[in-house]
Amino acid sequence: MKQLKRELSVIMIICLLTLMYGMPAAQAAVSSSTTYIVLYVNKADAFVGSEKVTLDAPATILKDKMFVPAKFLGDTMGMKVEWNETSRDITMATPGFNIVLNADKKSVWINGLMTPFDDVAAIVNGRLMVKLTWLADYMGARYTYNDELKRVDIIYTKAPTSIYNTATNQSKPVAKFSFAKESYRMGEPVKYVDLSYDPDAEGIAKYEWTGNQEAFFQAGTYPVSLTVTDGHGNKSETYTRNIVIEDKEFLSAVEYPIYMKPPGTFIKTDWSMLWGHFWDLPELPKSATADATRPVLVSDSPEEFTEKGILYQDKINGKARLYADHVNGTKDKLTLAIMATNKTNKPVTIKTTNKGEVWPSVYANLIGNEATVDFLMNDPLKESLTVPVNQTFIFKQFPDFYPGQGINLFYDVETDGELQMSFVATDAITATTLQTLPLLPFTGHVRGTFPVSQVNWNIDATSFTKPSRLVIGDNKSDPFQPGFDPQRNQKVTNDGNYGVVYKIHSDQPRKMAIMILAKGGVFKGPFKINGEIRLVPESGVLTPFDNMQILAKTTGKEKSLDIEFSPPAGSAFPIDLIFYPLEDKE
């Protein structure tokens, strides 16, 4: 009994392998052909047609009856054999008959009728054998036995399977495909050529693939299967082919998405991948300069205000950038406004040349991203406001600002004289607003006026050969800009460089991929690559360490590469821009 159970387990494995690796012609044949088998009693040599094979269980005579190896004939005649581990049954599907063998119960069921196991099967040297006359009858095979030669000749013609359903007057579709090449290297993109068709000419409505990977990263032979469905719900037989992957590498699993995926693609990472390939990369050399022609006024503390008041206040004269990021922490609906006060002896005109605005929202990453997108778009803007002597005008007023909502804003302005700019949160704007509102205290976020509103990095991305990076927002490779807070009368730093625009330039960049890796926390923000806005990410947020995003790719033929960026409010720093050299692959 133990020997028989081992034999059944072997049969189960063999059957599964037969099902997995069956040749496509046998699965999708329109016609059938004759199989000619020659066996010799008690000899391992056998023939299938003109091909000589060696059996591990030769034919034998038991009680004057010829018994033949079940595995060999099942494979050769295309008999479907399945093992049920729960019931410990072997099921054989032959034309018109469903045969179930159960050695534990010593029974064989044929279309529901029982036959004693020992009448039709036996275990010989640990192999399952079945009576030739019995199996041939149910398979529809013809056989002869030559006693002098001790030879059995079996002729089997498998009946062709019809795909036409007379009840519906429709045919099942036919699944079929090929590969563009006989074999592929590890990491080489696989091209699947769909050859499926519908005899009714209704077209294929649905494709169901299994195993059709874009690329394989280990050498071997892998089954790929396809089932198709037509518009009436008729499903094809499953068609399977084996793909051969050579023991030669085209791309590694790490390289593949970097080479083959378009900008915007997420690349899943883990600590092993990061430490092995992307952690602490050498920094791409850069020449850094600062543009101090346009100071930036940053109003970000109190970031979440809990009372009405003046959030920040300072003077400008000439070019300036106004930047604010605040959350309504009160229980009331308020308005946020920027007010311009002229304390000189002549009218002063303020012109707005660029803006970054967003509607109030409770989602911090969203408002920071959208305001930065708006600003980097740099749409032509010509707005002007003239403030009379000793007057205060509203420069900008924003929509109703409900509890819990935040807002982020940028304005590039130019004045022909000195103006005091005040960022205020209140319920109503009047002529005496600034006289009645208190200066709100500093609560730990960024606040102050900073001379530098733009940094320029010139990099040499022409001929580097190893993955390299630029670090943004670490206060080491990228120092935070110093400034002054007049309300506290002290020096401050712009932690995160919010409101600062980075302009990264390279002449004649080589062929490469540029990726972003968030390291400090959640990130969501845009980049402008050679004039085109790229969102990071296109939806949701980029989380640290578990994924990267392909930001851009160059072909090696561009005259220059220009990246424009400003740290979005609500995002954490530092981030790495990874420059990954791409080689031409054949």
Side-chain angles (χ1 to χ4, degrees):
M1 182 61 69
K2 290 182 179 178
Q3 190 178 39
L4 178 59
K5 289 182 178 179
R6 285 197 300 271
E7 173 66 19
L8 293 178
S9 297
V10 171
I11 292 295
M12 173 190 71
I13 295 171
I14 291 169
C15 294
L16 289 175
L17 290 174
T18 300
L19 291 169
M20 289 175 61
Y21 295 99
M23 294 301 292
Q27 296 172 345
V30 174
S31 60
S32 63
S33 60
T34 297
T35 301
Y36 180 40
I37 304 169
V38 178
L39 305 175
Y40 294 92
V41 177
N42 297 327
K43 288 187 178 181
D45 292 340
F47 289 86
V48 178
S50 60
E51 181 182 357
K52 184 178 179 180
V53 296
T54 301
L55 305 179
D56 59 0
T60 190
I61 296 175
L62 300 173
K63 299 179 182 180
D64 297 327
K65 301 296 182 182
M66 180 68 67
F67 281 74
V68 293
K71 168 190 176 302
F72 170 71
L73 288 185
D75 289 348
T76 305
M77 296 181 179
M79 176 168 51
K80 183 178 181 181
V81 182
E82 292 181 341
W83 166 258
N84 187 312
E85 176 65 30
T86 303
S87 62
R88 301 191 62 78
D89 290 335
I90 295 177
T91 301
M92 299 180 177
T94 69
F97 299 94
N98 188 53
I99 302 170
V100 180
L101 297 93
N102 191 300
D104 294 344
K105 298 178 181 177
K106 286 291 183 177
S107 63
V108 177
W109 297 83
I110 305 170
N111 288 353
L113 298 177
M114 190 187 77
T115 297
F117 183 88
D118 293 338
D119 287 354
V120 297
I123 299 298
V124 179
N125 295 326
R127 303 299 184 189
L128 179 65
M129 311 290 286
V130 292
K131 190 192 301 184
L132 175 60
T133 56
W134 174 81
L135 182 62
D137 288 344
Y138 288 112
M139 286 294 296
R142 294 181 289 119
Y143 63 92
T144 59
Y145 174 61
N146 187 314
D147 186 57
E148 182 179 353
L149 299 176
K150 302 297 182 182
R151 165 175 158 169
V152 180
D153 290 57
I154 302 173
I155 299 175
Y156 173 68
T157 301
K158 184 178 180 180
T161 301
S162 175
I163 63 173
Y164 184 73
N165 187 333
T166 57
T168 62
N169 293 324
Q170 292 179 343
S171 295
K172 293 190 295 185
V174 177
K176 187 179 292 186
F177 66 91
S178 67
F179 310 115
K181 298 171 57 176
E182 291 185 0
S183 62
Y184 288 83
R185 290 166 288 178
M186 294 182 292
E188 183 177 5
V190 178
K191 182 178 180 181
Y192 300 91
V193 182
D194 176 35
L195 303 171
S196 304
Y197 67 94
D198 181 13
D200 299 326
E202 297 166 338
I204 306 299
K206 182 180 179 181
Y207 290 80
E208 297 175 78
W209 292 88
T210 57
N212 61 325
Q213 296 177 203
E214 290 186 30
F216 297 79
F217 299 100
Q218 290 186 345
T221 301
Y222 300 89
V224 180
S225 298
L226 172 64
T227 305
V228 298
T229 305
D230 66 18
H232 289 284
N234 299 307
K235 181 176 287 190
S236 73
E237 297 297 324
T238 299
Y239 180 83
T240 300
R241 296 186 73 94
N242 291 331
I243 186 169
V244 177
I245 306 301
E246 305 170 21
D247 193 13
K248 300 176 183 177
E249 186 173 82
F250 180 72
L251 292 171
S252 69
V254 172
E255 293 173 322
Y256 183 83
I258 301 174
Y259 271 82
M260 305 307 302
K261 297 298 184 179
T265 299
F266 275 115
I267 298 176
K268 294 297 294 180
T269 61
D270 53 31
W271 279 110
S272 176
M273 178 181 175
L274 290 175
W275 280 112
H277 299 276
F278 301 106
W279 200 256
D280 204 24
L281 293 175
E283 294 192 39
L284 204 61
K286 65 177 184 286
S287 173
T289 59
D291 184 349
T293 61
R294 184 189 296 277
V296 55
L297 279 63
V298 178
S299 178
D300 190 26
S301 184
E303 182 185 57
E304 182 177 7
F305 56 87
T306 57
E307 58 181 314
K308 295 181 290 183
I310 299 172
L311 302 161
Y312 184 60
Q313 192 176 70
D314 200 3
K315 296 175 182 178
I316 63 173
N317 192 344
K319 292 182 178 180
R321 176 170 298 151
L322 310 178
Y323 178 91
D325 183 56
H326 293 287
V327 176
N328 184 355
T330 74
K331 297 180 180 180
D332 302 316
K333 177 182 70 175
L334 299 178
T335 185
L336 187 71
I338 303 175
M339 306 186 74
T341 302
N342 182 1
K343 295 183 178 181
T344 70
N345 57 6
K346 64 175 184 177
V348 176
T349 298
I350 180 171
K351 295 180 180 179
T352 306
T353 58
N354 191 19
K355 68 172 179 62
E357 298 176 334
V358 62
W359 292 92
S361 171
V362 296
Y363 299 104
N365 295 114
L366 174 68
I367 62 173
N369 176 76
E370 295 304 327
T372 309
V373 167
D374 198 36
F375 187 76
L376 292 182
M377 288 172 62
N378 199 23
D379 287 334
L381 188 64
K382 294 182 180 179
E383 296 179 352
S384 64
L385 172 69
T386 300
V387 184
V389 175
N390 295 323
Q391 293 288 317
T392 296
F393 280 6
I394 297 173
F395 169 67
K396 293 291 179 181
Q397 184 172 358
F398 300 94
D400 291 339
F401 198 32
Y402 288 86
Q405 288 186 330
I407 198 165
N408 185 221
L409 57 90
F410 296 74
Y411 292 101
D412 275 356
V413 297
E414 297 179 10
T415 72
D416 58 4
E418 184 178 273
L419 289 175
Q420 176 182 269
M421 307 302 294
S422 303
F423 300 79
V424 301
T426 186
D427 51 0
I429 304 293
T430 66
T432 60
T433 292
L434 293 182
Q435 287 75 36
T436 58
L437 290 176
L439 289 169
L440 297 182
F442 175 79
T443 60
H445 288 265
V446 180
R447 189 177 76 183
T449 299
F450 304 91
V452 173
S453 61
Q454 180 175 309
V455 292
N456 304 306
W457 290 354
N458 284 325
I459 62 174
D460 182 2
T462 303
S463 57
F464 70 102
T465 58
K466 295 182 179 180
S468 304
R469 63 176 175 152
L470 291 176
V471 183
I472 298 178
D474 67 341
N475 200 28
K476 295 176 183 177
S477 300
D478 176 28
F480 295 151
Q481 295 299 321
F484 187 78
D485 181 355
Q487 291 181 216
R488 287 182 288 160
N489 192 33
Q490 69 180 54
K491 295 179 180 179
V492 293
T493 56
N494 186 356
D495 297 342
N497 284 343
Y498 293 101
V500 175
V501 172
Y502 291 72
K503 291 195 174 182
I504 304 169
H505 173 83
S506 173
D507 291 322
Q508 303 294 328
R510 64 156 296 157
K511 185 177 182 180
M512 62 182 170
I514 305 168
M515 298 174 288
I516 176 174
L517 173 64
K519 284 188 170 179
V522 172
F523 180 88
K524 183 179 181 65
F527 288 77
K528 195 173 185 179
I529 311 291
N530 285 353
E532 180 182 343
I533 298 289
R534 303 283 175 87
L535 300 179
V536 180
E538 294 185 0
S539 62
V541 296
L542 195 67
T543 50
F545 309 124
D546 59 2
N547 55 60
M548 301 185 297
Q549 181 175 325
I550 300 175
L551 185 59
K553 287 187 173 182
T554 57
T555 64
K557 299 179 181 180
E558 294 86 355
K559 292 183 179 180
S560 63
L561 170 68
D562 287 284
I563 302 175
E564 195 169 345
F565 172 75
S566 185
S571 289
F573 290 87
I575 60 172
D576 280 359
L577 291 186
I578 297 173
F579 295 77
Y580 198 100
L582 301 178
E583 306 297 336
D584 291 328
K585 295 288 185 177
E586 296 182 359

